[in-house]
Amino acid sequence: MSLTDRLDAYLDDNGLEAVWFARPNSFAWLTDGGDNVVDRGGDVGVAAAGYDGDEVQVVTDNIEAPRLRDEELADGVPIETFDWHARGLAEVVESVSPTPAAADFDVEGFESVDAGVLRQPLTDQQAETYRKLSADVAAAVESVARGTEPGDTELDVTAALRRELEREGIATPVVLVGGSERAQSYRHYTPKDEPLGDYALLSVTATREGLYTSCTRTVAFDAPDWLADRTEAAMRVEATALAATREVGREGGTAADVFEAVQAAYDAVGWGGEWRNHHQGGAAGFAGREWIATPSNDAPVVLPQGYAWNPTVQGAKSEDTHLVTADGVETLSTTGEWPTRTVEAVGYDLTLSRHGVLSR
């Protein structure tokens, strides 16, 4: 089903005449990768894209209109322009839109739209864009990881990661670097001015053209005896989550169904209850996580869709972004140049090559 088919169905089902998106990921989704971001600190961009059953149009101010027209939008997309000093984006959307309408940001009199539901599943074109993004993200992370030294600080590595990714036009909302001390103490190892030490985990969630890729790489200089075993345990949990995603998606199940398999996998690899210490990930695409799996999350598991599961086992982690379809599991965030290990899912007929520990 095309994007416009989904939107037509949404308008019909909800008795609406138009729907508008100003949050950056959904703006990009509707405009095929258009970027409405100037200030990354804001939840709402500088332009809104709307669909009224006939066409997509964009509303923005006179500062942004020339750039959007020249660099971010397909030829022929109509732009309604207003003077930056006269009115705000929401006010103009309210004035130009047919009603009743919905929006993903606050517009007086408009209903709220759950854009995440509309953004799933991925189209073939989006999947192809995702492959390129994910390969670029993996290449940047692996390049930085190979150049690290035990005396480098977490902040040093963070700066290098942001530089490599931004060079490819990839924004970096999440960059986590944990050296051997802090990676064992915290699941979200927000970087500090501390040396890496014996080993390090490098984790990113990065975005371009509205899509988000997450991946983690482990580099070891003097690896603890337990690191390989714990990493393999996390790998098997991740493989299980992906196998369960494929099966549950085929059967029309929910995130909670996948989470049940994740819990069982931790038990099977000898780390029962470890899931309580960190969220396990979930669906990915036009958000770092479209949803995060929990024991009670009834979000539908759809295919084809991006999924980023991120199990951790006391200082070890396995995480990549995958495209899961009814037919298989494709690792997107890979270069083919990092050490891998093939592992078996728990309780499912799936073996998967996972990224292992790079010894330096």
Side-chain angles (χ1 to χ4, degrees):
M1 182 182 291
S2 70
L3 303 192
T4 54
D5 286 341
R6 290 184 212 178
L7 291 171
D8 286 336
Y10 172 78
L11 295 179
D12 288 344
D13 291 345
N14 292 276
L16 299 172
E17 296 295 325
V19 60
W20 292 84
F21 304 96
R23 295 183 182 275
N25 53 348
S26 293
F27 182 93
W29 170 75
L30 184 55
T31 61
D32 192 22
D35 186 357
N36 70 341
V37 176
V38 172
D39 179 0
R40 291 184 184 173
D43 293 331
V44 175
V46 296
Y51 178 72
D52 63 2
D54 293 320
E55 66 177 1
V56 173
Q57 63 174 316
V58 168
V59 170
T60 192
D61 64 33
N62 64 300
I63 302 172
E64 307 302 332
R67 178 180 63 84
L68 294 179
R69 182 179 291 109
D70 292 344
E71 299 179 347
E72 303 296 341
L73 301 174
D75 291 342
V77 173
I79 301 178
E80 179 77 23
T81 304
F82 61 95
D83 291 334
W84 67 267
H85 57 83
R87 295 188 290 173
L89 181 63
E91 183 182 356
V92 177
V93 167
E94 180 189 359
S95 70
V96 303
S97 175
T99 56
D104 71 344
F105 67 119
D106 290 336
V107 179
E108 187 174 353
F110 283 25
E111 297 180 13
S112 178
V113 56
D114 182 357
V117 174
L118 291 170
R119 294 192 299 256
Q120 301 174 68
L122 296 173
T123 67
D124 290 345
Q125 180 180 338
Q126 290 166 349
E128 192 57 39
T129 302
Y130 217 168
R131 289 185 180 95
K132 181 64 168 66
L133 164 67
S134 299
D136 287 348
V137 169
V141 173
E142 292 175 9
S143 174
V144 171
R146 288 191 187 92
T148 56
E149 299 293 343
D152 292 341
T153 70
E154 295 168 354
L155 288 176
D156 290 335
V157 179
T158 299
L161 284 168
R162 292 191 186 280
R163 182 174 59 251
E164 286 298 310
L165 289 162
E166 294 280 356
R167 182 177 293 158
E168 298 298 325
I170 300 170
T172 53
V174 179
V175 177
L176 304 176
V177 178
S180 55
E181 292 297 324
R182 297 183 66 253
Q184 295 177 65
S185 300
Y186 311 110
R187 304 300 164 121
H188 287 150
Y189 27 86
T190 54
K192 302 294 182 184
D193 190 21
E194 298 289 340
L196 299 183
D198 293 342
Y199 80 100
L201 301 181
L202 284 63
S203 302
V204 305
T205 296
T207 179
R208 184 175 63 197
E209 297 182 74
L211 288 162
Y212 286 73
T213 289
S214 297
C215 74
T216 292
R217 296 293 183 267
T218 306
V219 58
F221 312 104
D222 185 13
D225 293 339
W226 46 262
L227 182 60
D229 288 342
R230 293 185 191 179
T231 301
E232 182 175 358
M235 290 175 178
R236 292 198 68 199
V237 175
E238 185 189 19
T240 304
L242 290 161
T245 299
R246 183 179 62 180
E247 180 170 301
V248 170
R250 287 170 173 169
E251 297 174 352
T254 69
D257 297 325
V258 180
F259 197 84
E260 185 176 350
V262 169
Q263 291 173 299
Y266 273 112
D267 291 341
V269 300
W271 289 90
E274 184 70 359
W275 59 269
R276 299 180 184 276
N277 298 315
H278 187 220
H279 82 74
Q280 301 300 303
F286 283 88
R289 300 294 186 273
E290 294 283 9
W291 48 255
I292 289 174
T294 69
S296 59
N297 190 339
D298 62 358
V301 175
V302 301
L303 306 175
Q305 184 61 35
Y307 287 90
W309 299 101
N310 49 261
T312 57
V313 178
Q314 290 190 10
K317 184 177 183 180
S318 185
E319 177 186 33
D320 273 299
T321 300
H322 295 81
L323 179 67
V324 183
T325 69
D327 297 323
V329 175
E330 176 188 351
T331 305
L332 299 180
S333 51
T334 187
T335 65
E337 299 176 359
W338 191 264
T340 60
R341 187 164 185 170
T342 300
V343 298
E344 295 183 358
V346 175
Y348 295 89
D349 182 18
L350 177 68
T351 59
L352 197 64
S353 179
R354 300 304 309 116
H355 294 106
V357 178
L358 175 69
S359 296
R360 290 281 312 284

